Amino acid sequence: QPDNLEQLLQVKAPAPLFPRSLLLGGFAGFIAQSITYPLDTLRRRWQHELVQAKANLPEVDKLGILDYASKMRKEGGWRAFYGGFGLNIVKLVPELMVLCGVYHLA
């Protein structure tokens, strides 16, 4: 059993830990995406609104990001912040499982 960090970096983990790395990678990605997705959705929609405002479209108000978050919540509730989350997770979890698995093998 390696007892310090240098030895852990030099010794590869045993093969039975490989499936565990895949599952933990997918789970970690799911948790991270669940936490950050609402902020990313807010940022993308706010930027889109700012681009429309720059195009001088009269129906678009120039709002700050906090005002826009309030507007999103009023118009769509908290679900508005998670629009597209399901499809993103379908893509992200296998991607992170492979990433963590390949990292484990390297």
Side-chain angles (χ1 to χ4, degrees):
Q1 270 303 23
D3 57 354
N4 67 32
L5 183 59
E6 186 176 324
Q7 287 177 330
L8 284 173
L9 293 174
Q10 292 174 355
V11 177
K12 287 190 175 182
L17 292 180
F18 180 70
R20 183 173 151 215
S21 293
L22 290 176
L23 292 174
L24 289 176
F27 182 70
F30 175 79
I31 296 298
Q33 191 69 7
S34 298
I35 293 168
T36 61
Y37 195 81
L39 295 174
D40 194 42
T41 301
L42 172 62
R43 177 194 54 83
R44 281 183 276 119
R45 290 186 184 181
W46 181 60
Q47 285 177 335
H48 184 263
E49 181 133 337
L50 289 178
V51 168
Q52 287 181 340
K54 275 193 170 188
N56 295 322
L57 297 174
E59 69 275 0
V60 177
D61 294 330
K62 294 180 183 178
L63 299 174
I65 195 161
L66 294 177
D67 296 327
Y68 194 73
S70 178
K71 176 183 172 185
M72 273 180 63
R73 189 177 57 79
K74 285 177 186 171
E75 290 178 358
W78 289 107
R79 291 184 68 151
F81 291 91
Y82 280 95
F85 179 73
L87 289 176
N88 196 49
I89 289 299
V90 167
K91 170 195 77 86
L92 183 80
V93 169
E95 178 184 322
L96 287 173
M97 288 175 70
V98 169
L99 181 69
C100 288
V102 170
Y103 179 79
H104 178 77
L105 293 176

